[in-house]
Amino acid sequence: MTRYVMVADLRRCVGCQTCTAACKLANGTPPGAQWRRVLDIEVGEYPNVKRVFFPTGCQHCSKPPCLDVCPSGATQQRDDGIVSIDYDVCIGCASCAVACPYGARYIVDDERFAYGASPTVDEAVNINPDLVGVASKCNFCVDLIDAGIAAGLTPGKDPEATPQCVNSCISGAMTFGDIDDPESNVTKLLRDTEHFRQKEDEGTEPGFYYIWDGGPP
Amino acid sequence: MSWGATSRLQRFWDIRAACNFIGGGTGSSLLVWATLGLFAGLPYFPVALIGLLFVAVGLFMVWLETGKPWRALYLFFRPQTSWMTREGIVALPLFALGAVSVFIDADVLLPTTSSSPAVPAVLAAILALAFLYCQLRILNSARSLPAWREPRAMALVGLSGLTEGFGIYLLLGAILGFVAPAMMVTLMVLVIARAVVWRAYIAALGRSGAPESAMSALSAMRNGFLITGHALPVVLIFLAYSWPGMATTFSALAGVTATLGGWLLKIVLVTKAAYIPKTAIPKPPVRGRRSSSAGA
């Protein structure tokens, strides 16, 4: 079996938001939809305070609450763990958006652009009109993965088959791969480090791991 | 602080979704009360018709809220797991049987026979309860929102639906002239039960660590909810017993205030108290030293 997961090394992330920009460019998400985010969070209490840069987005859960509530069947889960949305079927009811414990889903009700009524040069080329009026979210750049696999490439290893947020990360904080493969990059990384997943008590079994200690950063 | 570092109000569902819970709760329970009244010899078809209208308006409002309303038929694609699909599936026979029972009782259907609407009315009432239950499960499956997923929210909203329906039933009873003392007692029992469940809900929500902003929104509406929806109806019912000549008016007002309290609850629950908790970081990263401080 194959189970694709994302790993974010919190020790490495510098909060540059390059992954965020790369995601927007690759997927043509309209303003209001930001599939990859890097949260800038203050932790601790004065004077022992520090900032944590926290990449987040769809957790591609093994037991996704968004899947069960979707009335149209637009939300689907593949055998490799990727949770995706069929934008031609979604009715935009937002059941999934209120069901997701990670706030990873977006609904943009009308076509809009970053600067006023006209699209920027990038938006004119990249913006995806299919995302208006429906729920949308990170899909691990599934088209890229599928095309890469078809070309004999390995997701997480070959950039042509790897999500753009991972490809663009300047500090190597983001890693993608197959956690069911004992020799994959993510398996080795998680084996050597201490990590957690968001809201594990929800029982959703997220496919997004966060390294916080252990091993070389 | 960036997005996600603090709790935030969901904006996916607005007043239109609240109207679906209002119309669904009030309308479906009105159908149930109308059916019970039918067996007590009380008028059926005007009450049931209004119940169906409430449900229809609620569904129409939520239809307006969907991003792709012309794909509404896709709603029926996932009955295996989706309570929204099940709600839609239940609504179809509910309207069909409700309409049949209304037409029979109004002598529009089978006017030359002495047919009773009892059988379709009972079936419609059962479906109405199922419809209400589907709505409660929709609320409960909003895993990102502590104010909705708290199990006692289901009891509170369900009981409120029954109270709202009975409040409208009393109002219609006053208009159509079938108010009985037992109906006033029933309303009093319902509002007292709702107040008790409200207290249990707030206590449980506090224990669950719900966002402070959600608790504040509920706290801000507490007086309005308890006074309008509970204290006033009880006082008005006592007045109805004290002044038999004004009993009909007072009981109608009691019904209206009990209903308004429930509607207020649902509007606040959907549009004001639906906060998504802030992002949790159980272990901040260790950079350069071998200890991790407290998480956020």
Side-chain angles (χ1 to χ4, degrees):
Chain A
M1 290 293 288
T2 300
R3 170 69 165 112
Y4 290 121
V5 301
M6 188 73 74
V7 179
D9 191 336
L10 298 181
R11 303 167 305 171
R12 282 176 169 249
C13 182
V14 295
C16 67
Q17 305 284 353
T18 306
C19 55
T20 304
C23 173
K24 284 199 86 70
L25 191 66
N27 294 293
T29 54
Q34 200 171 321
W35 294 354
R36 171 67 65 242
R37 283 181 182 271
V38 180
L39 309 185
D40 182 349
I41 298 177
E42 200 175 271
V43 300
E45 293 201 6
Y46 178 83
N48 298 315
V49 178
K50 60 175 157 182
R51 289 167 75 189
V52 175
F53 301 112
F54 195 76
T56 188
C58 176
Q59 307 288 301
H60 293 273
C61 307
S62 294
K63 297 175 181 172
C66 55
L67 180 72
D68 288 345
V69 299
C70 176
S72 67
T75 297
Q76 296 155 4
Q77 186 178 35
R78 303 184 353 157
D79 290 341
D80 58 12
I82 295 176
V83 178
S84 63
I85 301 171
D86 185 340
Y87 301 124
D88 292 331
V89 174
C90 178
I91 61 174
C93 68
S95 296
C96 55
V98 294
C100 174
Y102 308 99
R105 289 189 169 232
Y106 302 89
I107 297 182
V108 176
D109 287 325
D110 44 12
E111 191 172 87
R112 57 176 94 146
F113 306 104
Y115 299 99
S118 307
T120 61
V121 175
D122 277 349
E123 284 174 334
V125 175
N126 291 317
I127 205 152
N128 184 353
D130 293 344
L131 301 182
V132 174
V134 298
S136 73
K137 66 166 195 73
C138 161
N139 58 15
F140 276 169
C141 292
V142 68
D143 293 341
L144 209 59
I145 291 173
D146 287 346
I149 291 172
L153 304 174
T154 304
K157 183 179 171 192
D158 299 304
E160 295 83 358
T162 301
Q164 292 292 22
C165 55
V166 178
N167 289 336
S168 66
C169 182
I170 62 165
S171 61
M174 305 284 285
T175 310
F176 180 80
D178 175 12
I179 200 171
D180 282 354
D181 175 359
E183 296 305 315
S184 75
N185 49 359
V186 290
T187 306
K188 288 176 182 171
L189 197 54
L190 293 175
R191 192 185 297 146
D192 295 339
T193 54
E194 294 187 57
H195 51 266
F196 64 85
R197 293 182 289 181
Q198 278 196 68
K199 300 183 181 178
E200 293 205 63
D201 54 337
E202 293 280 350
T204 55
E205 298 178 14
F208 205 130
Y209 294 79
Y210 295 92
I211 295 172
W212 64 277
D213 197 10
Chain B
M1 288 282 176
S2 74
W3 181 98
T6 56
S7 61
R8 63 190 192 281
L9 188 63
Q10 69 82 23
R11 305 275 183 197
F12 299 109
W13 286 358
D14 57 18
I15 188 75
R16 291 168 293 186
C19 284
N20 186 34
F21 289 114
I22 287 171
T26 307
S28 58
S29 72
L30 199 50
L31 277 164
V32 173
W33 297 120
T35 305
L36 292 174
L38 176 69
F39 291 101
L42 301 180
Y44 175 78
F45 89 84
V47 182
L49 185 61
I50 290 171
L52 287 172
L53 281 175
F54 265 108
V55 176
V57 168
L59 289 173
F60 177 68
M61 294 300 285
V62 83
W63 177 74
L64 288 179
E65 180 142 60
T66 57
K68 298 284 185 187
W70 303 115
R71 295 180 185 171
L73 286 179
Y74 293 174
L75 176 82
F76 298 100
F77 281 8
R78 193 171 270 159
Q80 310 92 312
T81 55
S82 168
W83 284 100
M84 194 174 273
T85 299
R86 292 168 185 168
E87 180 196 30
I89 288 173
V90 167
L92 298 176
L94 169 63
F95 281 112
L97 286 163
V100 166
S101 59
V102 164
F103 287 147
I104 291 176
D105 195 51
D107 288 339
V108 174
L109 211 60
L110 309 173
T112 54
T113 65
S114 56
S115 298
S116 163
V119 173
V122 167
L123 291 174
I126 292 168
L127 287 167
L129 284 174
F131 183 85
L132 179 60
Y133 182 70
C134 289
Q135 288 207 329
L136 302 180
R137 293 302 299 261
I138 289 170
L139 200 69
N140 184 246
S141 50
R143 298 266 296 265
S144 70
L145 307 170
W148 297 9
R149 73 178 183 188
E150 161 57 42
R152 286 168 186 82
M154 285 176 63
L156 178 62
V157 174
L159 191 53
S160 190
L162 293 174
T163 309
E164 293 154 31
F166 200 80
I168 298 294
Y169 192 54
L170 259 185
L171 173 66
L172 294 173
I175 294 168
L176 301 172
F178 64 83
V179 174
M183 291 168 67
M184 289 186 265
V185 174
T186 304
L187 183 71
M188 191 180 291
V189 170
L190 284 169
V191 294
I192 290 171
R194 186 171 66 180
V196 170
V197 174
W198 159 262
R199 281 182 62 92
Y201 165 71
I202 290 295
L205 203 56
R207 285 195 300 273
S208 72
E212 283 180 21
S213 30
M215 298 302 293
S216 299
L218 292 167
S219 178
M221 62 83 78
R222 184 187 60 186
N223 288 346
F225 175 59
L226 290 178
I227 291 171
T228 307
H230 302 82
L232 265 178
V234 170
V235 169
L236 286 163
I237 288 167
F238 274 118
L239 288 174
Y241 273 105
S242 305
W243 279 281
M246 294 287 287
T248 303
T249 306
F250 283 132
S251 61
L253 287 172
V256 169
T257 51
T259 302
L260 289 178
W263 292 359
L264 173 69
L265 167 72
K266 289 173 179 175
I267 290 170
V268 170
L269 206 55
V270 172
T271 64
K272 305 275 187 201
Y275 275 87
I276 301 167
K278 67 180 181 181
T279 301
I281 302 180
K283 293 285 186 184
V286 176
R287 296 191 186 106
R289 59 190 167 87
R290 301 300 305 166
S291 67
S292 176
S293 55

